[in-house]
Amino acid sequence: MGPGPINADPRVLRAMSAQLVGQYDPAMTAYMAETQELYRDVFRTANDATLLIDGTSRAGIEAALVSLITPGDRVLVPIFGRFGHLLVEIAERCGADVHTIETEWGTVFAPEQIEAAIIEVRPALLAVVHGDTSTTLAQPLEDLGAICRAHDVLFYTDVTASIGGNEFLADEWGLDAVTAGLQKCLGGPSGSAPITLSPRAVDVITARKSIEAGIRAEGDAVRDDRIRSNYFDLAMVLDYWGPRRLNHHTEATTMLYGARECARILVEEGLETAWQRHRLHGTAMAEGLAALGLAVFGDQQHRMNNVVGVEIPDGVDGEAIRSELLHDYGIEIGTSFGPLHGRIWRVGTMGYNARKDAVLVTLASLEQVLRRAGVRVSAGAGASAAQDVYGSAV
Amino acid sequence: MGPGPINADPRVLRAMSAQLVGQYDPAMTAYMAETQELYRDVFRTANDATLLIDGTSRAGIEAALVSLITPGDRVLVPIFGRFGHLLVEIAERCGADVHTIETEWGTVFAPEQIEAAIIEVRPALLAVVHGDTSTTLAQPLEDLGAICRAHDVLFYTDVTASIGGNEFLADEWGLDAVTAGLQKCLGGPSGSAPITLSPRAVDVITARKSIEAGIRAEGDAVRDDRIRSNYFDLAMVLDYWGPRRLNHHTEATTMLYGARECARILVEEGLETAWQRHRLHGTAMAEGLAALGLAVFGDQQHRMNNVVGVEIPDGVDGEAIRSELLHDYGIEIGTSFGPLHGRIWRVGTMGYNARKDAVLVTLASLEQVLRRAGVRVSAGAGASAAQDVYGSAV
């Protein structure tokens, strides 16, 4: 019940135990095409360029950035938590001239703040995390697409933490590149990174491919347009997933089975239903934790449905509580990073764990552990508050 | 029965259906430590720095090269097949000054040829593929470690195609960096890349980490020592797997379960026994194919145990044969790349498929398909020749 990775859906694990088929077997290429179509539904996009990167969600981020960024490009990263810093770190290694704006952990940006920074920096790319589990908040993105178009900026986001549990509409919101991972609300294991690219992003990437062949002969040593990575070269990866099926890496078949099943489960349930399920169980968890006397962290207007931060009570050893909950009750909750380290716990309700029994058992167990640690908790308050949420939802 | 990826061992698939645990759960860190120890056995190394890269075998290659190569470094790549060209391509993108020597596909290099090139080029790194499935050959490596030490050159090889099915001794042969994949003789799916680094290689990589923090302030724009990738930065990945457990990516737990089981199966069998099993079944397949009238390709003294190339008979449509074998008999054999395209088929006997029944069924089926295509084959010759190999081995 941490901020992810979480337990996988048993259906996903079962799908991953299927025998392999050859990478150009018609069955395999059909699975690949089906997986692309499913992730178009998940991302809410019509982008043809929708596929999987064979690596963790961090691999997806690097693939997007290294393929979109030509060394020297200005990139703007609004930072509202740990993963904003990660985007900076990766973009810098891609050779970008990175500019940042920061807001206090527990808050998000107003669109005007981001537009003002775009006007000042004039970046080629805006790179912003959607949901940042480090603070539990989600940056509203719906107004940023139009702003990016108005200023001719590419718009990239990572939705690893939010996708499947929170409203996300890639095309309607004007995204050019989106990366994800399976290990949060999609209910799968880490190791495959779904990605989607708008035609505009594909044009940028494809142009870099065509530049690659010719430019070296002209001997321009200062500006090297070649995509710096082979593994993450989306121009080549697109040809591998596309009708030409040009050999690149050897597809990670078992991870593809898993990614496909994650999306099948979600599409069967319906995206709106899944978002609502996450909101229901996330609210029940938050209300339950508050009723146990724990102060909920951050701007609740912009909290993700699937993870809540609560302040560790004064005088309580946060790690001792987490340890007892894990070892005696078999339940994992999250610690925190950076400025929140030692200040808050993070509790997730996502994917297969966005369930009533998981919420109630967690609240019941945490109550026991808090009481043993000397925290004054009113008996049954947590589970009761959660039940009230469920009762009013019926 | 192609050159890989191949069917996974059912034990590996079963291991991959196990439920996930948190990435810092004591059970998980114990699995990680156990996996490292198992791969030390598989690589025949005492290297502490033995771990998994979360991606396909190509990801392992890029992680090794991008972490070892400082832009501008001279790198020597002896090319004897398709994967030598891949090393060149990746090393170039890492900013290396790449020099190559080439030998005809179907042959390998004598150590003196490689030493002469080292003396001429004076590279920082020698990067050479061990087994190259494109030609079915394995470059002998046992003399190259001493040569590299004598000339102060780092020695890197990729053993994806050979490991587990052919003798390989990382420490005895003087390797500084070795990368692998699961999808050949290890009997697993693509998607995890075991890697091992000598203390000398770790020193090079760690030195680049310490340079990273300081050098930017000095404003040296010509030479940028920072490792160009975040995801493949082995300095950080070592800290993630090491006792500090510094957060990096989210470990691909299911792939780790798979990689661990692949190594457990191999270590239980015994490396020498596994090499011998691959030699036995590879020989039976090669003799069987020859008895069907097909000419075996390349220098047989240096052929890998686990894959054999045979020339497509004149007047026969190689793809039609492959298609009938796949669709009517459920058996996949490989096509070829580059100069061998349309000239040879490649037939594998590796991992879980290095079995007597798999060899005999393949030979029996291919006989039928060849005969239907109008090739004159003497009835039963293939299976019979293979049985002779098995008989003489008892």
Side-chain angles (χ1 to χ4, degrees):
Chain A
M1 303 299 284
I6 53 120
N7 310 58
D9 190 303
R11 263 184 65 177
V12 175
L13 297 174
R14 218 150 48 224
M16 295 181 76
S17 67
Q19 186 51 275
L20 312 182
V21 291
Q23 67 174 332
Y24 295 108
D25 190 295
M28 181 67 181
T29 49
Y31 285 145
M32 291 172 76
E34 189 188 345
T35 303
Q36 294 184 280
E37 192 55 33
L38 285 162
Y39 277 95
R40 288 184 194 110
D41 280 354
V42 171
F43 284 127
R44 289 292 164 99
T45 183
N47 290 338
D48 187 56
T50 304
L51 45 83
L52 305 176
I53 300 298
D54 283 356
T56 72
S57 42
R58 182 178 290 237
I61 296 171
E62 187 158 323
L65 293 183
V66 80
S67 296
L68 285 169
I69 295 170
T70 301
D73 278 355
R74 276 194 298 278
V75 172
L76 175 66
V77 181
I79 300 173
F80 62 101
R82 168 184 151 85
F83 290 96
H85 289 287
L86 178 64
L87 297 188
V88 173
E89 148 76 21
I90 295 174
E92 282 181 355
R93 297 212 189 195
C94 298
D97 174 16
V98 182
H99 297 252
T100 61
I101 52 175
E102 293 198 45
T103 187
E104 197 186 343
W105 287 34
T107 68
V108 294
F109 295 94
E112 308 81 63
Q113 292 176 282
I114 293 175
E115 183 165 29
I118 285 176
I119 290 168
E120 195 189 318
V121 172
R122 306 194 81 54
L125 176 74
L126 171 69
V128 59
V129 169
H130 184 214
D132 195 317
T133 47
S134 70
T135 69
T136 76
L137 299 200
Q139 171 63 43
L141 301 178
E142 50 268 42
D143 297 325
L144 302 183
I147 293 171
C148 284
R149 294 286 155 143
H151 298 283
D152 196 25
V153 173
L154 285 168
F155 181 20
Y156 160 70
T157 193
D158 179 73
V159 298
T160 298
S162 58
I163 191 85
N166 303 268
E167 188 184 42
F168 178 75
L169 308 170
D171 285 0
E172 195 173 318
W173 294 355
L175 268 305
D176 290 303
V178 185
T179 56
L182 308 184
Q183 71 271 23
K184 310 275 186 179
C185 302
L186 294 183
S190 171
S192 178
I195 183 170
T196 190
L197 301 165
S198 74
R200 193 161 78 132
V202 170
D203 284 348
V204 169
I205 291 166
T206 308
R208 291 190 70 197
K209 183 171 72 161
S210 68
I211 288 165
E212 173 192 330
I215 205 158
R216 302 219 132 195
E218 294 165 34
D220 181 347
V222 180
R223 184 182 170 90
D224 182 358
D225 277 290
R226 189 175 197 172
I227 292 174
R228 282 187 172 185
S229 170
N230 170 288
Y231 192 67
F232 293 136
D233 181 337
L234 290 176
M236 293 202 295
V237 175
L238 283 167
D239 275 341
Y240 174 74
W241 282 80
R244 297 172 67 193
R245 301 246 172 242
L246 284 187
N247 197 272
H248 184 246
H249 59 285
T250 298
E251 189 54 24
T253 310
T254 301
M255 286 309 309
L256 179 122
Y257 291 165
R260 173 172 167 271
E261 195 68 11
C262 286
R264 272 161 51 104
I265 292 170
L266 194 57
V267 169
E268 278 174 21
E269 179 180 12
L271 270 290
E272 284 82 359
T273 312
W275 300 336
Q276 192 155 356
R277 172 170 57 87
H278 281 86
R279 184 158 50 244
L280 174 65
H281 297 295
T283 303
M285 181 66 89
E287 295 289 329
L289 292 169
L292 288 175
L294 302 171
V296 174
F297 172 80
D299 173 1
Q300 294 302 296
Q301 291 293 327
H302 295 109
R303 187 170 63 73
M304 278 188 284
N305 292 326
N306 49 302
V307 58
V308 57
V310 287
E311 291 179 17
I312 300 167
D314 286 341
V316 168
D317 178 349
E319 287 308 291
I321 298 285
R322 290 208 321 126
S323 178
E324 185 172 332
L325 202 55
L326 177 62
H327 290 102
D328 292 356
Y329 292 80
I331 296 170
E332 184 182 355
I333 64 170
T335 180
S336 300
F337 297 108
L340 300 179
H341 186 68
R343 275 186 55 202
I344 71 167
W345 293 305
R346 294 175 301 148
V347 185
T349 45
M350 61 186 91
Y352 186 66
N353 287 356
R355 296 193 323 267
K356 191 174 186 176
D357 64 304
V359 170
L360 294 175
V361 167
T362 300
L363 290 167
S365 303
L366 183 59
E367 179 187 329
Q368 310 306 316
V369 177
L370 288 171
R371 184 176 293 113
R372 247 172 78 94
V375 179
R376 287 182 53 144
V377 282
S378 72
S384 175
Q387 288 282 25
D388 287 348
V389 171
Y390 291 124
S392 66
V394 174
Chain B
M1 303 299 284
I6 53 119
N7 310 57
D9 191 303
R11 263 183 66 178
V12 175
L13 296 175
R14 216 149 49 224
M16 294 182 77
S17 68
Q19 187 49 277
L20 312 181
V21 292
Q23 67 175 332
Y24 295 107
D25 190 295
M28 181 66 181
T29 50
Y31 285 144
M32 290 172 77
E34 189 189 344
T35 303
Q36 295 184 280
E37 191 56 33
L38 285 162
Y39 277 95
R40 288 184 194 110
D41 280 354
V42 171
F43 285 128
R44 290 291 165 95
T45 183
N47 291 337
D48 187 54
T50 304
L51 46 83
L52 305 177
I53 300 298
D54 284 356
T56 73
S57 42
R58 183 179 290 237
I61 296 171
E62 188 158 321
L65 293 183
V66 79
S67 296
L68 285 169
I69 295 170
T70 301
D73 277 356
R74 275 194 299 278
V75 172
L76 175 65
V77 182
I79 300 173
F80 63 101
R82 168 183 150 86
F83 289 97
H85 290 286
L86 179 64
L87 297 187
V88 172
E89 148 78 20
I90 295 175
E92 281 182 355
R93 297 214 189 194
C94 297
D97 174 15
V98 182
H99 297 251
T100 61
I101 51 174
E102 294 197 45
T103 186
E104 196 185 346
W105 287 34
T107 69
V108 294
F109 295 94
E112 308 81 62
Q113 292 176 281
I114 293 174
E115 182 165 29
I118 285 176
I119 289 167
E120 197 189 318
V121 172
R122 306 193 81 55
L125 176 73
L126 173 69
V128 60
V129 169
H130 184 214
D132 195 317
T133 47
S134 70
T135 69
T136 75
L137 299 200
Q139 171 62 45
L141 301 177
E142 50 268 41
D143 297 326
L144 301 183
I147 293 171
C148 284
R149 294 288 155 142
H151 299 282
D152 197 25
V153 173
L154 286 168
F155 181 20
Y156 160 70
T157 194
D158 179 74
V159 297
T160 298
S162 58
I163 191 85
N166 303 268
E167 186 183 44
F168 178 75
L169 308 169
D171 285 1
E172 195 174 317
W173 294 356
L175 269 304
D176 290 303
V178 185
T179 56
L182 308 184
Q183 71 271 22
K184 309 275 186 179
C185 302
L186 294 182
S190 171
S192 178
I195 184 170
T196 190
L197 301 164
S198 73
R200 193 162 76 132
V202 170
D203 285 347
V204 169
I205 291 166
T206 309
R208 293 191 68 196
K209 180 171 74 163
S210 66
I211 289 166
E212 172 192 329
I215 205 159
R216 301 219 132 194
E218 295 165 33
D220 181 347
V222 181
R223 185 182 169 91
D224 181 0
D225 278 289
R226 188 175 198 174
I227 292 174
R228 282 187 171 185
S229 170
N230 169 287
Y231 192 67
F232 293 136
D233 181 336
L234 290 176
M236 295 202 293
V237 175
L238 283 166
D239 275 341
Y240 173 75
W241 282 80
R244 297 173 68 193
R245 301 249 171 240
L246 283 188
N247 196 271
H248 183 249
H249 58 285
T250 298
E251 188 54 25
T253 311
T254 301
M255 285 309 310
L256 179 123
Y257 291 165
R260 172 173 168 271
E261 195 68 12
C262 285
R264 273 162 50 104
I265 292 170
L266 194 57
V267 169
E268 277 174 22
E269 179 180 12
L271 270 290
E272 283 82 359
T273 311
W275 300 336
Q276 192 154 358
R277 171 170 56 88
H278 281 86
R279 186 159 48 245
L280 173 65
H281 297 295
T283 304
M285 181 66 89
E287 295 288 329
L289 292 168
L292 289 175
L294 301 171
V296 173
F297 172 80
D299 173 1
Q300 295 302 297
Q301 291 293 327
H302 295 108
R303 186 170 63 75
M304 279 188 283
N305 292 325
N306 49 302
V307 58
V308 56
V310 286
E311 292 179 17
I312 300 167
D314 286 341
V316 168
D317 177 350
E319 288 307 292
I321 299 285
R322 290 206 322 125
S323 178
E324 184 172 332
L325 203 54
L326 177 62
H327 290 101
D328 293 355
Y329 292 80
I331 297 170
E332 183 182 356
I333 64 170
T335 180
S336 302
F337 297 108
L340 300 179
H341 186 68
R343 274 187 55 201
I344 72 167
W345 293 305
R346 295 174 301 148
V347 185
T349 44
M350 60 185 91
Y352 185 66
N353 288 355
R355 299 192 322 267
K356 191 174 186 175
D357 64 305
V359 170
L360 294 176
V361 167
T362 301
L363 291 167
S365 304
L366 183 58
E367 179 188 328
Q368 310 306 316
V369 177
L370 288 172
R371 184 176 294 113
R372 247 171 77 94
V375 179
R376 288 183 53 146
V377 283
S378 72
S384 173
Q387 287 282 26
D388 287 349
V389 172
Y390 291 124
S392 66
V394 174

